[in-house]
Amino acid sequence: MIDAPGGGGKVPLLPEYVEEINEDEVIFRNYEGQRFVYKQPRPINVEPARREAAAAGIVPIEVGKTSKPRKEVGHSEAKDGT
């Protein structure tokens, strides 16, 4: 189901509503016959940004990876180290 822009209403993605699907766009019509075009998403090349970040010493956050737990500092230690 797509909510068509400009008050076009909700349009089910069923064969009778979809006019064309290609690499660039999805074209469909609502119940009134109004035509709508949605652009297909494009993959993003993140390698240049990763190289730039690595050169600057920035460590990227990666999905699915966890860090090692930090050691907790006890609150009983005095601030002046005594």
Side-chain angles (χ1 to χ4, degrees), residues 18-28 35 37-42:
V18 177
E19 191 173 295
E20 181 181 350
I21 298 176
N22 59 50
E23 288 185 18
D24 298 319
E25 56 196 14
V26 176
I27 304 167
F28 60 95
R35 189 171 186 256
V37 178
Y38 275 74
K39 296 291 182 188
Q40 295 278 29
R42 295 274 174 221

Side-chain angles (χ1 to χ4, degrees), residues 16-78:
E16 55 267 26
Y17 294 97
V18 177
E19 191 173 295
E20 181 181 350
I21 298 176
N22 59 50
E23 288 185 18
D24 298 319
E25 56 196 14
V26 176
I27 304 167
F28 60 95
R29 294 185 182 273
N30 68 1
Y31 72 98
E32 295 177 329
Q34 292 175 305
R35 189 171 186 256
F36 298 92
V37 178
Y38 275 74
K39 296 291 182 188
Q40 295 278 29
R42 295 274 174 221
I44 298 171
N45 183 3
V46 297
E47 282 310 310
R50 284 186 183 180
R51 284 193 296 274
E52 187 178 321
I58 299 169
V59 179
I61 297 173
E62 295 189 31
V63 175
K65 292 195 175 185
T66 59
S67 62
K68 294 178 184 175
R70 291 182 164 181
K71 289 184 179 179
E72 291 194 27
V73 178
H75 294 286
S76 61
E77 296 175 11

